C-alpha cells in the first residue's frame, strides 16, 4: 500500500519573535512542526531587534538546548544568534538543513562573512527579507530628497541660532525634477514609484538592462555617469558587493551637475566617502542623506558627523514597527512555496553575495 502521508517539515525559530507570529507560521500547514523556545532567545530591545539584548547569556544547559533545537530542523527562521559565526556553526552541525530565512535584506554580507566554502553553501538555501523594507526605505529616500530641495539643514542651523535671514532664499521644486536610482530592484522601484507620484521623472541602473514601465532610461552601472548629467537627485539602493564597491568615486561625483542631492539607503561600501566629502565641499553635491556607511557604527572621528550638508541616520531607515509581522508574512509565503516544491524567491547569490 502506497504511503500518502505528507512528509514532516521542522522549522526552528532561531531569533526573537512574538508568539502570535510563531502561531502564524504553525498555521501554514499541518505537516509543519515549529520549534520555539522563547527563553532561549534574547529579549528584543525595540521592534524587530533580531539580535536581541547583547547582555543576554544562556546557561550552558540552555546553550545545549538551543543548538539541539536548531540541529533538528530542516528550516531555520533567522541565522543562529543572528551572526555569521552562527551560520558557520549550523552548516557544520546540522546535516538536515535545507533552508535558512535571514532577517536582513542584505544577508549576503553575513553569508560571505561566515567563511563557508562554495561546496557547503550548495547544501542549503539562504533567502533574504528583501522587499519587506522597500516602502520604509523608499519613504526615507523621499525624505532625503525633500530635505535637500527644501534646505532643511540650513533652516535647522538658522533656527538653532535664532537667525531670521534678511534675504529670502528660494527652495527647489521636486515636481518636474529628475531622479536617478542606482539599483532598480524592489527598493529602487518603490523609490521610483513615490518619486513619480511627486512629479519627478526617473532613470536608473540595473544589472540586466531592459525597459521598465515609468523609467525613462535604464543602463547598467557602466552607464551611470551618462545618466548623472541630467539628475537633480540620486538615490543609491545597491547592495555591497565587489562589483559595487566605491562605485560612487571622484569620477562619478564629478559627472553630477552642481547641486545634486544624494541619498544612500543601499550599502555604505558603494560610496567612496572621501570623494563624497570633496563633492559636498565643492558643491557638486548640495546635500547628502546617509543611512549607511563604509564602517558601522560611523567612527567618532568621521567628518560626516558634523558636516553642515549631511544627515547621518544610524542604519535604521528600514526599521518600522511592522517589520517583524512583514518578515513573518514573507516567511509564511516562502514556506508554502518550499512545501509545494517551488522556487524560493530572494535567494542569496553565493557568488556575488547579495
Amino acid at each position: 500500500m502506497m504511503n500518502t502521508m505528507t512528509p514532516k517539515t521542522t522549522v526552528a525559530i532561531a531569533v526573537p519573535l512574538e508568539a502570535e507570529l510563531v502561531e502564524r507560521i504553525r498555521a501554514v500547514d499541518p505537516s509543519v512542526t515549529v520549534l520555539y523556545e522563547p527563553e532561549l532567545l534574547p529579549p528584543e530591545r525595540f521592534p524587530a531587534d533580531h539580535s536581541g539584548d547583547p547582555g543576554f547569556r544562556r546557561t550552558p544547559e540552555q546553550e545545549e538546548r538551543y543548538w539541539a533545537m536548531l540541529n533538528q530542523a530542516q528550516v531555520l527562521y533567522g541565522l543562529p544568534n543572528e551572526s555569521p559565526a552562527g551560520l558557520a556553526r549550523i552548516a557544520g552541525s546540522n546535516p538536515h538543513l535545507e533552508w535558512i530565512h535571514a532577517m536582513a535584506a542584505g544577508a549576503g554580507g553575513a553569508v560571505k562573512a561566515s567563511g563557508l566554502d562554495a561546496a557547503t553553501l550548495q547544501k542549503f538555501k539562504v533567502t533574504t527579507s528583501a522587499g519587506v523594507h522597500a516602502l520604509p526605505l523608499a519613504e526615507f529616500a523621499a525624505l532625503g530628497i525633500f530635505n535637500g530641495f527644501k534646505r532643511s539643514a540650513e533652516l535647522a542651523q538658522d533656527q538653532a541660532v535664532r537667525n531670521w535671514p534678511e534675504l529670502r532664499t528660494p527652495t527647489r521644486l521636486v515636481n518636474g525634477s529628475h531622479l536617478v536610482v542606482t539599483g532598480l530592484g524592489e527598493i529602487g522601484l518603490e523609490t521610483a514609484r513615490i518619486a513619480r507620484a511627486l512629479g519627478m521623472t526617473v532613470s536608473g541602473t540595473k544589472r540586466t538592462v531592459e525597459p521598465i514601465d515609468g523609467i525613462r532610461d535604464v543602463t547598467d552601472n557602466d552607464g551611470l555617469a551618462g545618466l548623472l548629467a541630467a539628475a537633480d537627485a540620486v538615490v543609491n539602493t545597491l547592495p555591497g558587493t565587489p562589483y559595487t564597491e566605491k562605485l560612487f568615486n571622484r569620477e562619478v561625483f564629478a559627472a553630477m551637475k552642481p547641486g545634486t542631492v544624494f541619498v544612500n539607503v543601499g550599502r555604505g561600501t558603494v560610496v567612496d566617502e572621501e570623494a563624497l566629502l570633496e563633492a559636498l565641499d565643492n558643491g557638486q553635491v548640495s546635500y547628502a542623506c546617509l543611512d549607511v556607511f563604509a564602517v558601522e557604527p560611523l567612527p567618532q572621528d568621521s567628518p560626516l558627523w558634523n558636516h553642515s550638508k549631511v544627515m547621518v541616520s544610524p542604519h535604521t531607515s528600514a526599521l518600522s514597527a511592522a517589520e517583524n509581522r512583514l518578515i513573518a508574512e514573507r516567511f509564511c509565503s516562502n514556506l508554502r512555496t518550499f512545501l509545494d516544491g517551488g522556487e524560493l524567491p530572494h535567494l542569496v547569490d553565493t557568488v556575488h553575495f547579495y
Side-chain angles (χ1 to χ4, degrees), residues 137-138 314:
L137 286 170

Side-chain angles (χ1 to χ4, degrees), residues 18-67:
E18 294 90 331
E20 61 267 27
L21 297 177
V22 175
E23 290 308 312
R24 289 200 193 188
I25 296 170
R26 286 198 171 107
V28 169
D29 194 275
S31 69
V32 173
T33 298
V34 178
L35 305 178
Y36 171 61
E37 296 194 48
E39 69 274 14
L40 303 181
L41 305 171
E44 290 186 309
R45 297 159 294 171
F46 47 83
D49 180 18
H50 308 300
S51 298
D53 184 348
F56 174 78
R57 296 288 181 273
R58 299 184 192 97
T59 66
E61 182 270 338
Q62 287 177 324
E63 189 72 11
E64 190 174 327
R65 280 170 52 206
Y66 178 73
W67 288 100

Side-chain angles (χ1 to χ4, degrees), residues 118 174 191 293:
V174 173
T191 301
F293 302 89

Side-chain angles (χ1 to χ4, degrees), residues 53-339:
D53 184 348
F56 174 78
R57 296 288 181 273
R58 299 184 192 97
T59 66
E61 182 270 338
Q62 287 177 324
E63 189 72 11
E64 190 174 327
R65 280 170 52 206
Y66 178 73
W67 288 100
M69 176 181 74
L70 301 188
N71 283 327
Q72 294 178 58
Q74 289 90 39
V75 179
L76 296 188
Y77 185 90
L79 303 184
N81 293 329
E82 193 61 4
S83 73
L87 173 58
R89 176 169 171 175
I90 199 69
S93 66
N94 183 340
H96 322 290
L97 189 62
E98 296 180 43
W99 166 39
I100 301 175
H101 184 76
M103 301 296 98
V111 175
K112 184 178 183 181
S114 72
L116 293 170
D117 58 46
T120 302
L121 289 173
Q122 294 306 309
K123 294 179 181 177
F124 56 89
K125 294 177 169 62
V126 180
T127 54
T128 77
S129 294
V132 164
H133 307 100
L135 181 57
L137 286 170
E139 289 184 351
F140 187 84
L143 167 76
I145 294 167
F146 271 117
N147 278 346
F149 278 50
K150 303 306 177 185
R151 302 174 47 251
S152 65
E154 295 167 54
L155 294 174
Q157 290 160 24
D158 283 339
Q159 181 176 345
V161 296
R162 303 185 185 189
N163 178 47
W164 190 286
E166 187 175 337
L167 298 177
R168 299 174 70 187
T169 304
T171 60
R172 295 158 62 185
L173 281 178
V174 173
N175 186 285
S177 63
H178 188 63
L179 171 66
V180 167
V181 177
T182 49
L184 288 168
E186 288 180 280
I187 298 165
L189 290 174
E190 186 67 8
T191 301
R193 182 188 69 80
I194 290 175
R196 290 198 310 272
L198 297 171
M200 304 181 84
T201 54
V202 184
S203 296
T205 68
K206 197 173 188 293
R207 283 188 72 196
T208 305
V209 178
E210 58 191 6
I212 299 175
D213 285 347
I215 307 297
R216 193 171 79 183
D217 299 301
V218 180
T219 72
D220 58 17
N221 286 338
D222 291 338
L224 174 59
L227 296 180
L228 293 176
D232 300 293
V234 178
V235 173
N236 175 60
T237 73
L238 288 169
T241 76
Y243 300 98
T244 63
E245 186 163 356
K246 294 189 177 179
L247 173 68
F248 284 91
N249 55 24
R250 284 182 176 83
E251 291 72 27
V252 167
F253 282 117
M256 296 179 182
K257 63 182 181 182
T260 299
V261 171
F262 180 71
V263 180
N264 191 3
V265 293
R267 282 295 181 266
T269 54
V270 181
V271 177
D272 180 334
E273 290 176 355
E274 286 189 16
L276 171 59
L277 285 161
E278 290 175 13
L280 285 159
D281 291 339
N282 68 28
Q284 290 294 109
V285 173
S286 61
Y287 178 80
C289 180
L290 309 173
D291 185 50
V292 288
F293 302 89
V295 176
E296 296 180 359
L298 183 63
Q300 290 293 309
D301 60 354
S302 170
L304 292 169
W305 279 112
N306 297 319
H307 201 289
S308 62
K309 299 178 182 177
V310 173
M311 171 182 275
V312 170
S313 166
H315 203 152
T316 56
S317 68
L319 182 63
S320 74
E323 181 172 321
N324 271 356
R325 175 180 60 79
L326 293 172
I327 293 176
E329 288 173 355
R330 170 67 61 86
F331 177 77
C332 288
S333 172
N334 288 356
L335 182 57
R336 183 72 267 162
T337 299
F338 176 81
L339 296 170

